[in-house]
Amino acid sequence: MTVLVVSVMPPADAFGTSTDRGGPPRSGPPTAGESPPADAPAPPVAYAGEPLLTAKFVPPERPHAYVHRQRLTDRLATAATGPLTLITGPAGAGKTTLAASWARTGPLPGPLVWLTLDSCESAHADFWAYVLEGFRRTLRTTPRETAGHRGPGGLPVTGRVEHSRLIHLAALLERLPRPPVLVLDGFDRVRAREVAADLEFLLAHAGPGLRLVLTSRVDPLLPLHRYRAEDRLAEIRAADLAFTPYETAALLDRHRLSPTPATVGLLTRRTEGWAAGLRLCALAMRQSGDPDAVARTFAASPHAVADYLLTEVLDAQPAALRDLLLHLSILDHVHPDLARALTGRPDTAELLDRLVRRNVFVTRLPGTVWCRLHPLFAQVLQAQLHHRRPGLAPRLHHRAARWFAAAGDADRAVSHAAAAGDWRYAADEAVRTLLLGRLLTAPGSEGLHRLLSRMPADVPGAGPALVAGACALYRHDAAGCRERLTAAARQLGEGGSGRTPETALVHALLSLVCAPLAPGQDDRGLRQRADQAARRIGALMERVPRPLVERHPELAALRCAGLAHVLLRTGELDAARRYFTRATGPDDGPHDDRATGRLRHAALGLLAVTESLRGELTAATDHATAALALADRTGLTPHRRSGAGHLALAIVAHGRGAHQDAQRHLTRAEQCPDTRHDPTLHVECALLRARLHLARGRWEAARSTLDDCGPAPSAWSAERLAVARSAAALARGDTVAALAAAPAAPAAPAAPAGTNDTAPAALARARAHLAAGHPDRALRHLAPLDGAALSRPDLIGSLLVRAHAAVLTGVPATARELLARALDAARPEQLRAPFTEAGPWLRVLLDGTGDRTGPATGHIWFGVRWGDGRSAAGTPYLVEPLSRRERQVLAGAARLLSADEIAEELCLSPNTVKTHLKTIYRKLGVSRRREAVDRGRELHLL
């Protein structure tokens, strides 16, 4: 059986007519304003002697701009086929509207008895007088036993319905052909406990002859748990009554409003689908010339619904509950112990239970003792708190901050301390709980930054200085961070005030992370200070309580990422790669992206940049792609994303000869804030853009890009800029300028590679000498590289310089051998850039003899060779060209045709097409159709 609670009743003539004591058939009570016939009997009276009001037996009219919600009326119709239906929700949730709509549109299982209740029917006898009269009006017949014995003047002789009357009513209901639907609207207004007991008896003994629907703000005093277990209860709760975004849009449309989807979503989220709030907002929007602005204001301020909530909700509560609600208004989530700490009342748990049961816009979080207030109601309560109890709010926030701090909830402790204006405590608590690490690593740290950045600049102490420094670093303001770190160090040094392991740890972490962002530091000194800071951080983490460290996995990640960033800046790519890998965590292990997602995103991108500079293009692509995917997965906003991943993909695309892809990724990288504020990334973006200009023959643009780059942040970056300037001079044929721009040779010519005389610098000098016609000098500059462990690009560059020297000295066999070795080294990563940038001499070496057994043999990955030894892009390629038929098959694949469709179009067999596709894959050095199409477009074959 099912119990339904709703307040709706169709007109009386919707139900069948019957005679009342032999009288003529009637279709229902007189309508409003209609005079009763002269011979009509006197209107019935309640037990208190007052006439029964006809309006209470009629469902209310639909409100203006009513939105029919079929999902709810269907659910109510299904529920009403059972014995009991309960519709509960807070004021304005749409309980009565739903019941009335269903009563008017049906379908109904039987005749409707509608009764709108108010406080007048709180007495037991009055309630049953109205219920029995409702049955009489609908059924047109009642057993004499249910009418009660009346004394003089028609008044009953007793003050309550005797039990025998309920027995006779239950017997009558059992005999009816169709079960009537009794809708009691506003059942929470009935205070008499006997009424619930009588309804329970009636439900138990009427059998299938009654369908009871109750609308109420609170659960009735019925054994609902037993009804649920027996499947006799259907419930429609506040969450079910909430408007969906689609329904919100329909409601606004009924008010002749056309808001944007964003406005609809904002209103739905802010009101949580509360019907009355949405209607009040719609009315306010109609009266304004800018409905969207009103919606945004409503979403930020509850003024449009304040009067409703105050009158219908707050003022309707007893004094104890009103006082508790005002105290709780400062909270987003409420625990009974927290409520006790704010109010000093020992009975707060019981009062909270009453608020939840009464649907006073307080709901319990599932499976916990925690509760939450509706956000609009909380804002109204906050305004009333300031109005009725001025000066209390700061004291409440102060108590809440201490309670949350003791409970280990640092976020809320800091938030309430800030709301209380106690910034010194808020900052010290953020440092003590190591909250600042998450500010720099978590994807959703914008709210924490907004909170902490409100702190006044003149708050004394080391904690506030560290908080200000972390906020500056969050904004990529490295100079501001260093200034605040200096102030914090001064505070910690003056008598050791505030010096704790946590404070020292935060100071060391911020110093390490900030170090590689400072301009113009000595590489050796920077590396030494970074090593010292990393060791100090490790020692301090041992002194901090282990549970606290375990709750903050971002600390170890920050340490590794900071040291890796320093190593990247100083050009120690092998070591930088190791530490960036540690910062990203294990590839197959769990990651807490809520705590470290933003840091892992940046570290993966920087790891990819490090690998791309070493020529490890496959690994760089994988890590850069993972960095971008992580940013999407964690919802990082554009101004919080790192450009390192896009920069790495741009370097990879340039290295493989895909200049358009390189340009696209580089543009996206330069739009990210860190590539503008990080000196190392800024230089790498400028270097790549200059190389792209050179690839298109734009020498002046390349030189201008390098000149506009600004001062180099480190000796390693300065050397890379010098190498690029030398390459730009060589591209325009100015060997003198190329020699002048190349990094100078070290004083000791035998210095080992990788210390003073790095491989890129030696190669730049060697290329300049070769261009000037001095191969012997070029080879002398390469001598220190013999036997050195070189990166892939440097190894290929060294082999190509030696091959060029062999060409100039007339040893073509040696040149071809060296070229073949260079191609073998480039093949695993398909690294084309060193060859395409080598100059016209390489084309002569490749195509001078036309020998198919030369150095190009076996290097299909490199590209397509045309008759003039050039690709359509103007660069030499080294593999067999596609036949005319193969190009036709490739064109069909580009149009997404299947093998059978290509075969039919070209009059070939499907097997022949498949054979052509395999040959195309081999010649283009790919393994899939999509890659073949992309490669064909890159080579202008399509």
Side-chain angles (χ1 to χ4, degrees), residues 666-801:
L666 179 58
T667 299
R668 298 189 65 178
E670 291 175 333
Q671 293 172 348
C672 296
D674 62 337
T675 55
R676 298 191 300 270
H677 296 92
D678 186 324
T680 303
L681 294 183
H682 179 68
V683 167
E684 292 304 321
C685 285
L687 290 171
L688 181 57
R689 186 164 293 282
R691 295 182 73 178
L692 290 172
H693 283 313
L694 291 177
R696 292 171 173 82
R698 302 170 184 169
W699 308 308
E700 292 299 327
R703 186 176 64 177
S704 177
T705 297
L706 296 173
D707 292 341
D708 294 341
C709 181
S714 65
W716 180 69
S717 294
E719 183 180 86
R720 289 176 60 76
L721 287 171
V723 170
R725 290 188 176 96
S726 179
L730 282 180
R732 66 177 183 269
D734 190 347
T735 57
V736 176
L739 282 169
T755 55
N756 295 327
D757 189 18
T758 63
L763 290 172
R765 290 192 296 271
R767 292 188 185 104
H769 283 297
L770 283 175
H774 304 294
D776 52 339
R777 297 181 185 178
L779 293 175
R780 281 200 300 270
H781 283 290
L782 294 185
L785 304 183
D786 292 337
L790 302 178
S791 67
R792 193 180 303 273
D794 291 340
L795 174 60
I796 296 170
S798 173
L799 291 170
L800 290 179
V801 169

Side-chain angles (χ1 to χ4, degrees), residues 237-582:
R237 296 288 184 173
D240 306 310
L241 296 171
F243 272 61
T244 65
Y246 175 82
E247 293 165 346
T248 299
L251 175 64
L252 298 178
D253 181 69
R254 293 295 178 88
H255 285 82
R256 299 180 181 178
L257 296 168
S258 301
T260 64
T263 299
V264 172
L266 178 65
L267 285 177
T268 307
R269 289 191 303 273
R270 186 60 178 161
T271 61
E272 297 184 354
W274 178 43
L278 289 170
R279 293 185 184 278
L280 291 171
C281 181
L283 293 174
M285 292 169 68
R286 283 192 60 184
Q287 298 171 3
S288 169
D290 189 355
D292 285 336
V294 171
R296 289 191 298 271
T297 303
F298 173 84
S301 171
H303 295 312
V305 299
D307 291 341
Y308 184 96
L309 289 172
L310 288 175
T311 304
E312 296 293 329
V313 182
L314 181 62
D315 293 340
Q317 307 307 316
L321 294 182
R322 287 200 305 270
D323 185 70
L324 177 63
L325 285 170
L326 291 176
H327 279 74
L328 300 183
S329 64
I330 67 164
L331 304 171
D332 53 356
H333 292 81
V334 184
H335 189 279
D337 293 341
L338 174 57
R340 187 179 302 112
L342 295 184
T343 63
R345 295 183 62 114
D347 59 345
T348 50
E350 292 79 5
L351 294 179
L352 276 174
D353 287 340
R354 289 178 59 186
L355 289 173
V356 173
R357 290 197 305 270
R358 294 166 69 95
N359 273 314
V360 190
F361 290 93
V362 179
T363 57
R364 193 177 303 282
L365 299 183
T368 72
V369 298
W370 287 84
C371 302
R372 63 179 292 270
L373 275 68
H374 191 288
L376 289 179
F377 189 41
Q379 287 193 346
V380 170
L381 291 175
Q382 290 168 16
Q384 290 300 304
L385 176 65
H386 289 288
H387 174 69
R388 301 183 184 185
R389 306 285 296 274
L392 178 60
R395 298 199 300 273
L396 293 177
H397 281 295
H398 180 84
R399 298 172 194 168
R402 269 60 181 179
W403 189 90
F404 279 116
D409 191 336
D411 294 85
R412 290 191 173 95
V414 172
S415 176
H416 283 287
D422 191 353
W423 285 106
R424 178 70 178 270
Y425 180 82
D428 289 343
E429 188 66 15
V431 172
R432 184 187 69 82
T433 57
L434 305 179
L435 200 60
L436 297 184
R438 201 173 75 236
L439 175 66
L440 303 177
T441 64
S445 57
E446 289 86 354
L448 181 60
H449 173 258
R450 284 195 300 269
L451 172 67
L452 296 177
S453 60
R454 289 170 25 213
M455 182 181 65
D458 58 350
V459 179
L466 291 174
V467 167
C471 289
L473 194 57
Y474 179 91
R475 299 188 299 268
H476 302 283
D477 180 9
C481 178
R482 290 192 298 275
E483 179 182 352
R484 303 305 295 178
L485 289 177
T486 301
R490 187 167 53 250
Q491 292 282 345
L492 293 173
E494 295 175 355
S497 176
R499 182 181 292 277
T500 63
E502 294 82 4
T503 305
L505 176 58
V506 171
H507 186 277
L509 275 172
L510 293 179
S511 300
L512 179 60
V513 175
C514 188
L517 304 179
Q521 297 187 64
D522 173 66
D523 286 11
R524 187 182 299 273
L526 176 62
R527 172 62 192 275
Q528 290 177 348
R529 289 192 295 274
D531 287 339
Q532 292 172 358
R535 288 193 295 270
R536 177 171 171 76
I537 290 170
L540 289 169
M541 289 176 66
E542 294 293 331
R543 295 175 55 194
V544 173
R546 181 170 295 277
L548 181 59
V549 173
E550 291 175 349
R551 288 198 300 269
H552 291 277
E554 68 273 9
L555 300 179
L558 267 177
R559 176 193 179 205
C560 292
L563 183 56
H565 207 160
V566 171
L567 294 169
L568 174 61
R569 172 171 171 158
T570 57
E572 300 174 68
L573 300 184
D574 278 341
R577 182 183 55 178
R578 289 196 301 271
Y579 280 101
F580 277 131
T581 301
R582 295 181 189 176

